[in-house]
Amino acid sequence: MKLYFLHHSGFMLDDGCRCYIFDYYKDPKGLVKGAFDQGRELWFFVSHVHFDHYNEAIKEFGSPKTRYIVHEDVHMGSGFTVTTMVPGDKVVLPGLVGVDDPEVSIEMFGSTDCGGSFLVRVSGKTIFHAGDLNWWHWLGDSLDNLKEAKALAWTELGKLQGLQVDYAMFPVDNRLEEAMEWGLIEFLRRVTVNGLLVPMHLNGPVWQPSTYYGALFGQVPLWNVSLDGDSICVDQ
C-alpha cells in the first residue's frame, strides 16, 4: 500500500487496485485524477461539508467504479453511488468491480465540530481519519467555551477508547498555538496506533513535536508530511 498526502486533511491510500480518498479538498499534484484516468476503483470518504474537507469537484470522478461515503450534511445529488452516514453508523460495503474485490467495513465516529470521523477496515488493515475531531482549545476564549470544548473532546474521544489502528490521520492545528497537540495527545491516550500516525489540518508550518509529546509517545511511528503529493509506502 502507498499513502499519499493531497492537501490539508486530504489523503489517498492506494492498495494497488483501489484508492481510498479522505476529505478531498485540493489535489495540486493531480493524484486523484491520475488514478481516475487509469480506470482505478475510487472510494471517496467525506467527513463533513466544511470547504476544507469537501470539494464538489469530487463529483467529476463519478463513474461505475466510484463510490462515495459521506456524512449526511453532504448532498451529492443523483447519479452517484452514495452511502450516507452519521456517527454511530456501521456498514459493510462490497467492491464495485468484481466479486473478488475485498469488502470494506466502515464505522463513523463523532466529531467535536461538524460531521464525523471514519474508521475503515479493509484487507486486514484499519484506517482512522479524524475529520474535525479534536480538542479545540482556543487560547483566549471564554472559560465557559473552553470547558465546553474539553467536555466535548472527552466525550467523543472516549468513544474511541481501546481501539487499535494501523494508520491514523489526526489534526495538529497551528492556530491552537500552545494547545495544538493537546487533542493528539488525548487521542493517543485512548487509541493505539501500530503502523503510522499522520498529522493533518496544520493551517501553518509542519508540526515539531514538543519534548512532552516525545516523552509520552515518541515511540509511535510518525509521518510528518510537508509537501502536497508526498507519499510513503506502508505495510501490505
Side-chain angles (χ1 to χ4, degrees), residues 17-18 33 53 55 65-66 80 82 88 113-114 119 136 155 214:
C17 62
R18 181 188 288 164
K33 185 178 186 307
H53 292 260
N55 186 333
K65 291 185 178 181
T66 302
F80 305 99
V82 181
D113 195 346
C114 291
L119 182 70
W136 296 107
T155 296

Side-chain angles (χ1 to χ4, degrees), residues 59-115:
K59 296 179 181 181
E60 298 172 6
F61 303 113
S63 84
K65 291 185 178 181
T66 302
R67 184 188 292 278
Y68 300 90
I69 303 95
V70 305
H71 184 265
E72 67 173 0
D73 64 8
V74 176
H75 303 291
M76 292 292 301
S78 60
F80 305 99
T81 303
V82 181
T83 300
T84 300
M85 302 183 72
V86 296
D89 284 351
K90 301 178 183 180
V91 296
V92 177
L93 300 177
L96 292 165
V97 177
V99 294
D100 294 331
D101 280 2
E103 291 184 331
V104 182
S105 172
I106 305 165
E107 185 171 358
M108 179 167 272
F109 284 90
S111 174
T112 48
D113 195 346
C114 291

Side-chain angles (χ1 to χ4, degrees), residues 39-57:
R40 307 288 293 282
E41 186 176 339
L42 305 181
W43 290 50
F44 285 91
F45 295 84
V46 185
S47 66
H48 63 290
V49 76
H50 281 171
F51 78 94
D52 57 344
H53 292 260
Y54 169 59
N55 186 333
E56 286 197 344

Side-chain angles (χ1 to χ4, degrees), residues 129-222:
H129 187 283
D132 265 352
L133 173 63
N134 195 11
W135 180 4
W136 296 107
H137 181 99
W138 299 97
L139 300 184
D141 206 348
S142 71
L143 291 179
D144 285 344
N145 286 344
L146 295 177
K147 182 178 179 180
E148 181 180 352
K150 180 179 179 180
L152 184 56
W154 257 239
T155 296
E156 296 303 333
L157 291 171
K159 297 172 185 177
L160 308 177
Q161 185 72 47
L163 280 181
Q164 299 226 6
V165 304
D166 293 293
Y167 318 123
M169 290 150 275
F170 197 91
V172 183
D173 196 312
N174 282 273
R175 297 174 302 171
L176 297 177
E177 303 174 83
E178 289 92 338
M180 65 184 295
E181 60 185 27
W182 291 7
L184 177 61
I185 287 172
E186 296 305 324
F187 172 74
L188 292 174
R189 291 189 197 277
R190 296 159 175 80
V191 178
T192 300
V193 179
N194 294 311
L196 198 66
L197 171 69
V198 189
M200 67 176 193
H201 208 285
L202 300 179
N203 283 307
V206 174
W207 171 52
Q208 301 298 324
S210 68
T211 302
Y212 180 64
Y213 173 88
L216 290 173
F217 300 112
Q219 79 285 359
V220 177
L222 176 66

